[in-house]
Amino acid sequence: MAFHIDSKTALRLALVATAAASLSACQSRPKPTFATTTPTQTGPGQTGPAGPSGVPGGTEVGQAALPGSERDFVVNVGDRVYFDFDSYSLREDARPLLAAQAAWLKRYGAVRVRIEGNTDERGTREYNLALGARRANAVRDFLAGQGVTTDRITTISYGKERPIDPGSSEEAYAQNRNARTAIVSGGR
């Protein structure tokens, strides 16, 4: 028994097959999950999100960072200091890190930075923006007191808008109460 397919039927079958192939290609696949670590501050070179090696971005300490680069600053100096609840006073553990930032910035005079003030999620948006600004200004004032000219420093407050840890625990809150020194230009 032979089947005879005319050109219209062949075209319809081809269109149905194409539509079926397109639909199967668009099927939703589960999103991959990645292990995350909570950022910790154990020393000047370990601030911000830590990778598997405990160093920001997961970079091994043995890999040399180009002197004067953003990576050099983050890995060898540290880019983030933390604050107590509802406070913009610099903690004692922040002062050595900020002194190291100032020394690095004086060594690389072309580098400009932005101090980003952050808060935890508690409080109103307006209150947290103001608190984040005071934190950023406290860091700027410390760096200026160490001899870094203020024309190289800008400040911004993100308030509670850019948390490191999206959780609602005391540990998450402590990580989110920070000021980050970000290189914006002049780095290698």
PDB file of all heavy atoms in Angstrom, residues 1 4 15 17 32 44 51 64-66 70 74-76 87 100-101 113 121 126 136 144 148 175 178 184 187-188:
ATOM      1  N   MET A   1       0.841  -1.165   0.000  1.00  0.00           N
ATOM      2  CA  MET A   1       0.000   0.000   0.000  1.00  0.00           C
ATOM      3  C   MET A   1       0.885   1.227   0.000  1.00  0.00           C
ATOM      4  O   MET A   1       1.695   1.430   0.883  1.00  0.00           O
ATOM      5  CB  MET A   1      -0.877  -0.062   1.238  1.00  0.00           C
ATOM      6  CG  MET A   1      -1.825   1.032   1.341  1.00  0.00           C
ATOM      7  SD  MET A   1      -2.996   0.542   2.613  1.00  0.00           S
ATOM      8  CE  MET A   1      -3.589   2.040   3.049  1.00  0.00           C
ATOM      9  N   HIS A   4       0.412   8.518  -0.972  1.00  0.00           N
ATOM     10  CA  HIS A   4       0.711   9.630  -1.855  1.00  0.00           C
ATOM     11  C   HIS A   4       0.435  10.918  -1.082  1.00  0.00           C
ATOM     12  O   HIS A   4      -0.668  11.157  -0.614  1.00  0.00           O
ATOM     13  CB  HIS A   4      -0.170   9.560  -3.113  1.00  0.00           C
ATOM     14  CG  HIS A   4      -0.002  10.761  -3.991  1.00  0.00           C
ATOM     15  ND1 HIS A   4       1.216  11.148  -4.462  1.00  0.00           N
ATOM     16  CD2 HIS A   4      -0.906  11.640  -4.493  1.00  0.00           C
ATOM     17  CE1 HIS A   4       1.053  12.233  -5.201  1.00  0.00           C
ATOM     18  NE2 HIS A   4      -0.238  12.541  -5.240  1.00  0.00           N
ATOM     19  N   LEU A  15       5.493  22.225   8.642  1.00  0.00           N
ATOM     20  CA  LEU A  15       5.194  23.308   9.578  1.00  0.00           C
ATOM     21  C   LEU A  15       4.890  22.766  10.975  1.00  0.00           C
ATOM     22  O   LEU A  15       5.342  23.322  11.985  1.00  0.00           O
ATOM     23  CB  LEU A  15       4.038  24.157   9.064  1.00  0.00           C
ATOM     24  CG  LEU A  15       4.346  25.048   7.862  1.00  0.00           C
ATOM     25  CD1 LEU A  15       3.076  25.726   7.348  1.00  0.00           C
ATOM     26  CD2 LEU A  15       5.386  26.087   8.223  1.00  0.00           C
ATOM     27  N   ALA A  17       5.978  19.938  12.238  1.00  0.00           N
ATOM     28  CA  ALA A  17       7.235  19.434  12.789  1.00  0.00           C
ATOM     29  C   ALA A  17       8.118  20.578  13.277  1.00  0.00           C
ATOM     30  O   ALA A  17       8.742  20.501  14.349  1.00  0.00           O
ATOM     31  CB  ALA A  17       7.973  18.607  11.746  1.00  0.00           C
ATOM     32  N   PRO A  32      20.426  26.476  37.526  1.00  0.00           N
ATOM     33  CA  PRO A  32      21.490  25.865  38.317  1.00  0.00           C
ATOM     34  C   PRO A  32      21.627  26.585  39.661  1.00  0.00           C
ATOM     35  O   PRO A  32      21.336  27.770  39.772  1.00  0.00           O
ATOM     36  CB  PRO A  32      22.741  26.060  37.458  1.00  0.00           C
ATOM     37  CG  PRO A  32      22.418  27.224  36.587  1.00  0.00           C
ATOM     38  CD  PRO A  32      20.932  27.185  36.369  1.00  0.00           C
ATOM     39  N   PRO A  44      42.971  42.382  56.761  1.00  0.00           N
ATOM     40  CA  PRO A  44      42.895  43.405  55.723  1.00  0.00           C
ATOM     41  C   PRO A  44      42.660  42.868  54.335  1.00  0.00           C
ATOM     42  O   PRO A  44      41.993  43.483  53.547  1.00  0.00           O
ATOM     43  CB  PRO A  44      44.257  44.102  55.803  1.00  0.00           C
ATOM     44  CG  PRO A  44      44.771  43.811  57.156  1.00  0.00           C
ATOM     45  CD  PRO A  44      44.173  42.483  57.552  1.00  0.00           C
ATOM     46  N   GLY A  51      35.437  33.915  48.000  1.00  0.00           N
ATOM     47  CA  GLY A  51      35.307  32.722  47.174  1.00  0.00           C
ATOM     48  C   GLY A  51      35.823  31.516  47.932  1.00  0.00           C
ATOM     49  O   GLY A  51      36.074  31.588  49.129  1.00  0.00           O
ATOM     50  N   ALA A  64      49.687  36.820  41.846  1.00  0.00           N
ATOM     51  CA  ALA A  64      50.060  38.212  42.028  1.00  0.00           C
ATOM     52  C   ALA A  64      49.040  39.139  41.385  1.00  0.00           C
ATOM     53  O   ALA A  64      48.578  38.903  40.272  1.00  0.00           O
ATOM     54  CB  ALA A  64      51.439  38.458  41.442  1.00  0.00           C
ATOM     55  N   ALA A  65      48.706  40.187  42.118  1.00  0.00           N
ATOM     56  CA  ALA A  65      47.849  41.237  41.577  1.00  0.00           C
ATOM     57  C   ALA A  65      48.758  42.340  41.056  1.00  0.00           C
ATOM     58  O   ALA A  65      49.795  42.645  41.653  1.00  0.00           O
ATOM     59  CB  ALA A  65      46.934  41.775  42.671  1.00  0.00           C
ATOM     60  N   LEU A  66      48.393  42.928  39.956  1.00  0.00           N
ATOM     61  CA  LEU A  66      49.163  44.020  39.373  1.00  0.00           C
ATOM     62  C   LEU A  66      49.169  45.192  40.347  1.00  0.00           C
ATOM     63  O   LEU A  66      48.099  45.681  40.737  1.00  0.00           O
ATOM     64  CB  LEU A  66      48.544  44.433  38.034  1.00  0.00           C
ATOM     65  CG  LEU A  66      49.219  45.577  37.293  1.00  0.00           C
ATOM     66  CD1 LEU A  66      50.628  45.161  36.866  1.00  0.00           C
ATOM     67  CD2 LEU A  66      48.396  45.953  36.066  1.00  0.00           C
ATOM     68  N   GLU A  70      42.832  47.523  40.814  1.00  0.00           N
ATOM     69  CA  GLU A  70      41.708  47.342  41.727  1.00  0.00           C
ATOM     70  C   GLU A  70      41.860  46.038  42.496  1.00  0.00           C
ATOM     71  O   GLU A  70      41.588  45.972  43.695  1.00  0.00           O
ATOM     72  CB  GLU A  70      40.385  47.363  40.948  1.00  0.00           C
ATOM     73  CG  GLU A  70      39.178  47.224  41.842  1.00  0.00           C
ATOM     74  CD  GLU A  70      37.863  47.342  41.093  1.00  0.00           C
ATOM     75  OE1 GLU A  70      37.875  47.512  39.859  1.00  0.00           O
ATOM     76  OE2 GLU A  70      36.822  47.253  41.757  1.00  0.00           O
ATOM     77  N   VAL A  74      41.857  45.478  46.560  1.00  0.00           N
ATOM     78  CA  VAL A  74      40.898  44.611  47.263  1.00  0.00           C
ATOM     79  C   VAL A  74      41.604  43.486  48.006  1.00  0.00           C
ATOM     80  O   VAL A  74      41.327  43.221  49.178  1.00  0.00           O
ATOM     81  CB  VAL A  74      39.846  44.045  46.277  1.00  0.00           C
ATOM     82  CG1 VAL A  74      38.976  43.002  46.950  1.00  0.00           C
ATOM     83  CG2 VAL A  74      38.990  45.162  45.713  1.00  0.00           C
ATOM     84  N   VAL A  75      42.538  42.803  47.343  1.00  0.00           N
ATOM     85  CA  VAL A  75      43.181  41.633  47.924  1.00  0.00           C
ATOM     86  C   VAL A  75      44.222  42.002  48.977  1.00  0.00           C
ATOM     87  O   VAL A  75      44.269  41.391  50.040  1.00  0.00           O
ATOM     88  CB  VAL A  75      43.820  40.760  46.808  1.00  0.00           C
ATOM     89  CG1 VAL A  75      44.664  39.650  47.402  1.00  0.00           C
ATOM     90  CG2 VAL A  75      42.749  40.190  45.910  1.00  0.00           C
ATOM     91  N   ASN A  76      45.032  42.991  48.706  1.00  0.00           N
ATOM     92  CA  ASN A  76      46.152  43.293  49.595  1.00  0.00           C
ATOM     93  C   ASN A  76      45.879  44.363  50.640  1.00  0.00           C
ATOM     94  O   ASN A  76      46.631  44.480  51.599  1.00  0.00           O
ATOM     95  CB  ASN A  76      47.382  43.669  48.767  1.00  0.00           C
ATOM     96  CG  ASN A  76      47.849  42.504  47.924  1.00  0.00           C
ATOM     97  OD1 ASN A  76      47.850  41.366  48.376  1.00  0.00           O
ATOM     98  ND2 ASN A  76      48.209  42.772  46.682  1.00  0.00           N
ATOM     99  N   SER A  87      24.876  53.140  63.780  1.00  0.00           N
ATOM    100  CA  SER A  87      26.042  53.959  64.085  1.00  0.00           C
ATOM    101  C   SER A  87      26.815  54.278  62.813  1.00  0.00           C
ATOM    102  O   SER A  87      26.850  53.478  61.886  1.00  0.00           O
ATOM    103  CB  SER A  87      26.958  53.218  65.056  1.00  0.00           C
ATOM    104  OG  SER A  87      28.156  53.933  65.251  1.00  0.00           O
ATOM    105  N   ALA A 100      45.573  51.636  55.976  1.00  0.00           N
ATOM    106  CA  ALA A 100      46.207  50.934  54.853  1.00  0.00           C
ATOM    107  C   ALA A 100      45.641  51.438  53.523  1.00  0.00           C
ATOM    108  O   ALA A 100      46.379  51.601  52.546  1.00  0.00           O
ATOM    109  CB  ALA A 100      46.017  49.431  54.988  1.00  0.00           C
ATOM    110  N   GLN A 101      44.324  51.703  53.475  1.00  0.00           N
ATOM    111  CA  GLN A 101      43.737  52.277  52.258  1.00  0.00           C
ATOM    112  C   GLN A 101      44.370  53.633  51.952  1.00  0.00           C
ATOM    113  O   GLN A 101      44.720  53.925  50.805  1.00  0.00           O
ATOM    114  CB  GLN A 101      42.221  52.442  52.407  1.00  0.00           C
ATOM    115  CG  GLN A 101      41.429  51.182  52.287  1.00  0.00           C
ATOM    116  CD  GLN A 101      39.923  51.442  52.304  1.00  0.00           C
ATOM    117  OE1 GLN A 101      39.463  52.585  52.302  1.00  0.00           O
ATOM    118  NE2 GLN A 101      39.150  50.370  52.312  1.00  0.00           N
ATOM    119  N   VAL A 113      38.444  57.326  44.063  1.00  0.00           N
ATOM    120  CA  VAL A 113      37.583  56.327  44.687  1.00  0.00           C
ATOM    121  C   VAL A 113      36.204  56.902  44.986  1.00  0.00           C
ATOM    122  O   VAL A 113      36.014  58.116  45.064  1.00  0.00           O
ATOM    123  CB  VAL A 113      38.206  55.772  45.997  1.00  0.00           C
ATOM    124  CG1 VAL A 113      39.486  55.018  45.714  1.00  0.00           C
ATOM    125  CG2 VAL A 113      38.420  56.864  47.021  1.00  0.00           C
ATOM    126  N   GLU A 121      18.654  46.158  56.523  1.00  0.00           N
ATOM    127  CA  GLU A 121      17.296  46.404  56.009  1.00  0.00           C
ATOM    128  C   GLU A 121      16.360  47.075  57.003  1.00  0.00           C
ATOM    129  O   GLU A 121      15.282  47.522  56.639  1.00  0.00           O
ATOM    130  CB  GLU A 121      16.680  45.089  55.537  1.00  0.00           C
ATOM    131  CG  GLU A 121      16.379  44.128  56.652  1.00  0.00           C
ATOM    132  CD  GLU A 121      15.802  42.818  56.163  1.00  0.00           C
ATOM    133  OE1 GLU A 121      16.043  42.435  55.009  1.00  0.00           O
ATOM    134  OE2 GLU A 121      15.108  42.172  56.946  1.00  0.00           O
ATOM    135  N   GLU A 126      14.452  56.329  53.743  1.00  0.00           N
ATOM    136  CA  GLU A 126      15.035  57.660  53.924  1.00  0.00           C
ATOM    137  C   GLU A 126      16.064  57.660  55.055  1.00  0.00           C
ATOM    138  O   GLU A 126      17.153  58.226  54.930  1.00  0.00           O
ATOM    139  CB  GLU A 126      13.941  58.695  54.203  1.00  0.00           C
ATOM    140  CG  GLU A 126      13.011  58.950  53.027  1.00  0.00           C
ATOM    141  CD  GLU A 126      11.975  57.840  52.802  1.00  0.00           C
ATOM    142  OE1 GLU A 126      11.715  57.038  53.741  1.00  0.00           O
ATOM    143  OE2 GLU A 126      11.452  57.750  51.686  1.00  0.00           O
ATOM    144  N   ALA A 136      29.594  56.778  54.787  1.00  0.00           N
ATOM    145  CA  ALA A 136      30.517  57.092  53.695  1.00  0.00           C
ATOM    146  C   ALA A 136      31.345  58.334  54.030  1.00  0.00           C
ATOM    147  O   ALA A 136      32.557  58.369  53.786  1.00  0.00           O
ATOM    148  CB  ALA A 136      29.744  57.293  52.390  1.00  0.00           C
ATOM    149  N   ALA A 144      40.858  61.503  54.427  1.00  0.00           N
ATOM    150  CA  ALA A 144      41.357  62.872  54.283  1.00  0.00           C
ATOM    151  C   ALA A 144      42.293  63.222  55.440  1.00  0.00           C
ATOM    152  O   ALA A 144      43.330  63.874  55.237  1.00  0.00           O
ATOM    153  CB  ALA A 144      40.195  63.851  54.216  1.00  0.00           C
ATOM    154  N   VAL A 148      44.880  61.884  52.171  1.00  0.00           N
ATOM    155  CA  VAL A 148      44.313  61.670  50.835  1.00  0.00           C
ATOM    156  C   VAL A 148      43.458  62.898  50.506  1.00  0.00           C
ATOM    157  O   VAL A 148      42.565  63.258  51.273  1.00  0.00           O
ATOM    158  CB  VAL A 148      43.453  60.389  50.774  1.00  0.00           C
ATOM    159  CG1 VAL A 148      42.872  60.197  49.377  1.00  0.00           C
ATOM    160  CG2 VAL A 148      44.261  59.174  51.194  1.00  0.00           C
ATOM    161  N   GLN A 175      26.815  42.114  58.186  1.00  0.00           N
ATOM    162  CA  GLN A 175      27.538  42.189  56.912  1.00  0.00           C
ATOM    163  C   GLN A 175      27.077  43.379  56.072  1.00  0.00           C
ATOM    164  O   GLN A 175      27.857  43.958  55.317  1.00  0.00           O
ATOM    165  CB  GLN A 175      27.350  40.892  56.114  1.00  0.00           C
ATOM    166  CG  GLN A 175      27.983  39.690  56.764  1.00  0.00           C
ATOM    167  CD  GLN A 175      29.480  39.843  56.913  1.00  0.00           C
ATOM    168  OE1 GLN A 175      30.175  40.214  55.972  1.00  0.00           O
ATOM    169  NE2 GLN A 175      29.985  39.575  58.097  1.00  0.00           N
ATOM    170  N   ASN A 178      28.006  48.537  56.250  1.00  0.00           N
ATOM    171  CA  ASN A 178      29.389  48.721  55.820  1.00  0.00           C
ATOM    172  C   ASN A 178      29.557  49.959  54.965  1.00  0.00           C
ATOM    173  O   ASN A 178      28.592  50.592  54.544  1.00  0.00           O
ATOM    174  CB  ASN A 178      29.859  47.483  55.055  1.00  0.00           C
ATOM    175  CG  ASN A 178      29.130  47.299  53.746  1.00  0.00           C
ATOM    176  OD1 ASN A 178      29.374  48.027  52.788  1.00  0.00           O
ATOM    177  ND2 ASN A 178      28.230  46.335  53.692  1.00  0.00           N
ATOM    178  N   VAL A 184      37.242  54.052  41.079  1.00  0.00           N
ATOM    179  CA  VAL A 184      36.437  54.463  39.917  1.00  0.00           C
ATOM    180  C   VAL A 184      37.308  54.870  38.725  1.00  0.00           C
ATOM    181  O   VAL A 184      36.838  54.833  37.597  1.00  0.00           O
ATOM    182  CB  VAL A 184      35.446  55.591  40.268  1.00  0.00           C
ATOM    183  CG1 VAL A 184      34.389  55.078  41.222  1.00  0.00           C
ATOM    184  CG2 VAL A 184      36.124  56.801  40.838  1.00  0.00           C
ATOM    185  N   GLY A 187      43.229  53.381  38.338  1.00  0.00           N
ATOM    186  CA  GLY A 187      43.882  52.117  38.669  1.00  0.00           C
ATOM    187  C   GLY A 187      44.485  51.491  37.430  1.00  0.00           C
ATOM    188  O   GLY A 187      44.126  51.824  36.305  1.00  0.00           O
ATOM    189  N   ARG A 188      45.424  50.611  37.642  1.00  0.00           N
ATOM    190  CA  ARG A 188      46.057  49.943  36.502  1.00  0.00           C
ATOM    191  C   ARG A 188      45.227  48.809  35.990  1.00  0.00           C
ATOM    192  O   ARG A 188      44.476  48.195  36.606  1.00  0.00           O
ATOM    193  CB  ARG A 188      47.430  49.414  36.920  1.00  0.00           C
ATOM    194  CG  ARG A 188      48.364  50.537  37.257  1.00  0.00           C
ATOM    195  CD  ARG A 188      49.719  49.978  37.592  1.00  0.00           C
ATOM    196  NE  ARG A 188      50.549  51.090  38.016  1.00  0.00           N
ATOM    197  CZ  ARG A 188      51.755  50.935  38.471  1.00  0.00           C
ATOM    198  NH1 ARG A 188      52.281  49.747  38.582  1.00  0.00           N
ATOM    199  NH2 ARG A 188      52.471  51.953  38.829  1.00  0.00           N
TER     200      ARG A 188
END
